[in-house]
Amino acid sequence: MDPARSLAALGGLAFVFASLVLGIRLLALAARTRRLPEVCIGLALLLMGGLGYPLIMTARMALRLSDPARVAVMALALLCMGVGTLAVGVFNWRVFRPGERWARV
């Protein structure tokens, strides 16, 4: 593997690891504080960076998997990304625009 690919792989692994650690820590904090912003950002990090990104890479690069299995992995990844994106939207609404009617939409 050439140095550029090695560096890219290392960066991707660092991103996934940081997303997992921070997501789990924020969800643990949310379990203690019962606060919505921590839940939202914790879910977003865990689902998007910790699970969704590796699942997308698996679906794209695991050529030994059958096509239906790769489609199922990609569908799960997109579900994680969608729920994570929704969590970011709820976070933005509750933290930055809690009283605005248009922000709820």
Side-chain angles (χ1 to χ4, degrees):
M1 185 179 294
D2 64 62
R5 284 183 187 235
S6 297
L7 186 60
L10 183 62
L13 286 173
F15 170 72
V16 170
F17 180 72
S19 295
L20 284 171
V21 169
L22 290 173
I24 290 169
R25 289 191 60 153
L26 280 167
L27 289 174
L29 176 64
R32 291 192 309 272
T33 64
R34 306 271 189 230
R35 306 244 357 238
L36 185 61
E38 288 89 345
V39 171
C40 291
I41 293 300
L43 276 176
L45 284 168
L46 184 67
L47 292 174
M48 294 170 67
L51 298 175
Y53 180 72
L55 287 171
I56 286 173
M57 290 300 105
T58 300
R60 292 184 67 201
M61 299 176 77
L63 300 177
R64 291 187 181 187
L65 289 177
S66 66
D67 285 343
R70 290 174 68 195
V71 168
V73 170
M74 184 61 85
L76 181 59
L78 292 176
L79 178 65
C80 288
M81 293 292 197
V83 173
T85 301
L86 179 65
V88 170
V90 171
F91 171 83
N92 286 333
W93 165 52
R94 296 301 299 155
V95 170
F96 298 113
R97 303 278 187 218
E100 301 287 335
R101 290 185 83 180
W102 66 267
R104 283 185 230 159
V105 176

